[in-house]
Amino acid sequence: MFVKYVILMSMAVFGIMLYLHDYHLSSFSQLFTIYPQLHSTLIDLYGTVVFKWFDSGYSRVPRKSKDVLFTKEELQEYSESNKGLYLAILGKVYDVGKGEKFYASGGNYHFFTGRDGSRAFITGDFTDSGLTDDVTGLTVKELINLHEWAQYYHKEYKYKGKVIGRYYDDEGQPTSYYHQVKKLINKAKRTKEEQDKEKLSYPPCNAEWSLESGSRVWCSTRSGGIERDWIGVPRQLYDPGSHTYRCICIRENETDGPNKKGNIKEYPECNPKSTSCWVHS
């Protein structure tokens, strides 16, 4: 576009020059001497106008989404097999037609089609009010599970576009709600990573109870579902601010010294080196 305008301006100046040549030769000679400066001035003027327009106008032009955008009404049309079976989760639409026996009318998951029922993936509330895309108030574990569901659909089904509404605007750009949920999910993921890291250092104990014998806790290389190459010894871990404890397995050489996660105590009347302890109430 810039080159086009420069050519047009040059042609206009050249036209003026021809006019002066035919009718005012002396004036033409004068204009010829100032033509480079005039041409440069016109280019500078054009550049100033264009860049001013770019800064003030073009930067405010909304970015167009390359995704197909669905209104809620349009998405509802994809709840029957004759047109297609789509569902949305966290604002993204997927074609679940290959799972027709589950998502078609009469299938176990038909209620998910034609809408974004993100919350119901976690709550199990499949009523019209429960099949909502509002996920605020979910716990850390629930948000992690919802994120895993979203990843599952992205991996297993064909992505079709976005729903205009809570997560994306009518240009397909993320809304403030989208960013809020994303922050909550990222925070939940970090919390889970910290919990998993803690479990590796302090795996839960195995536990059993019987009416005849009472309660017993013990450690093994797989206690708490955490596989490792050490066994450890049972200890009571009091988290900061908590008045109750949970049983953890800890390496024997780590039982002494400060513990940043809380206070560690031995089980009463249990050998500190034993991998099993009876719990007396």
Side-chain angles (χ1 to χ4, degrees):
M1 180 179 287
F2 178 81
V3 174
K4 177 181 177 181
Y5 275 88
V6 170
I7 293 173
L8 289 174
M9 287 188 293
S10 299
M11 290 175 64
V13 172
F14 186 69
I16 295 172
M17 292 169 61
L18 289 177
Y19 170 79
L20 292 174
H21 177 267
D22 293 335
Y23 298 100
H24 303 281
L25 184 58
S26 60
S27 298
F28 168 75
S29 300
Q30 294 174 5
L31 180 61
F32 185 82
T33 61
I34 65 170
Y35 170 74
Q37 292 85 352
L38 177 60
H39 188 242
S40 176
T41 301
L42 288 172
I43 292 177
D44 291 340
L45 178 60
Y46 169 74
T48 301
V49 172
V50 168
F51 287 119
K52 185 176 181 180
W53 169 80
F54 182 91
D55 291 337
S56 62
Y58 183 77
S59 60
R60 294 199 298 268
V61 174
R63 294 172 294 172
K64 298 293 183 181
S65 173
K66 295 181 180 180
D67 298 288
V68 176
L69 302 179
F70 297 82
T71 64
K72 290 184 178 181
E73 293 73 23
E74 289 171 339
L75 183 59
Q76 287 175 357
E77 298 176 6
Y78 292 89
S79 60
E80 299 298 336
S81 301
N82 58 345
K83 185 167 185 178
L85 295 169
Y86 293 3
L87 65 73
I89 181 169
L90 296 178
K92 292 186 176 181
V93 180
Y94 296 94
D95 182 348
V96 293
K98 72 176 185 178
E100 182 175 359
K101 66 179 180 179
F102 301 108
Y103 294 99
S105 181
N108 293 335
Y109 306 131
H110 177 62
F111 41 74
F112 278 121
T113 59
R115 67 173 84 202
D116 188 331
S118 296
R119 192 179 191 89
F121 281 94
I122 302 303
T123 63
D125 181 358
F126 305 128
T127 64
D128 284 338
S129 60
L131 286 160
T132 176
D133 56 359
D134 185 2
V135 299
T136 53
L138 295 182
T139 66
V140 168
K141 184 177 180 180
E142 289 171 337
L143 285 169
I144 290 294
N145 289 340
L146 180 58
H147 176 66
E148 291 173 348
W149 271 113
Q151 288 183 315
Y152 165 78
Y153 278 95
H154 188 74
K155 178 181 178 181
E156 296 295 329
Y157 295 96
K158 186 176 180 180
Y159 170 74
K160 300 301 292 186
K162 299 172 181 175
V163 185
I164 298 171
R166 197 181 296 274
Y167 293 92
Y168 299 96
D169 62 21
D170 56 7
E171 297 291 343
Q173 301 305 315
T175 63
S176 58
Y177 186 91
Y178 167 91
H179 291 296
Q180 177 187 355
V181 171
K182 184 177 180 180
K183 286 181 180 179
L184 289 173
I185 290 176
N186 287 338
K187 182 179 179 181
K189 289 166 65 177
R190 289 194 298 270
T191 300
K192 185 177 185 299
E193 288 173 359
E194 292 172 359
Q195 291 173 344
D196 291 344
K197 184 178 180 181
E198 180 182 345
K199 283 183 179 180
L200 291 174
S201 301
Y202 308 110
C205 306
N206 294 316
E208 65 178 4
W209 178 88
S210 67
L211 183 62
E212 297 79 13
S213 304
S215 299
R216 181 174 76 96
V217 293
W218 76 98
C219 297
S220 68
T221 54
R222 298 184 63 184
S223 56
I226 309 298
E227 294 193 20
R228 53 195 186 276
D229 57 2
W230 54 276
I231 296 176
V233 293
R235 290 293 186 269
Q236 299 174 345
L237 174 62
Y238 291 83
D239 290 311
S242 175
H243 299 290
T244 59
Y245 69 87
R246 52 193 174 94
C247 182
I248 62 164
C249 296
I250 188 171
R251 293 179 177 89
E252 188 177 342
N253 61 356
E254 294 180 1
T255 56
D256 298 326
N259 187 305
K260 295 181 180 180
K261 292 293 182 181
N263 297 319
I264 292 179
K265 294 183 179 181
E266 297 176 359
Y267 278 92
E269 302 178 22
C270 181
N271 187 329
K273 296 182 180 296
S274 175
T275 60
S276 175
C277 294
W278 290 100
V279 180
H280 304 285
S281 56

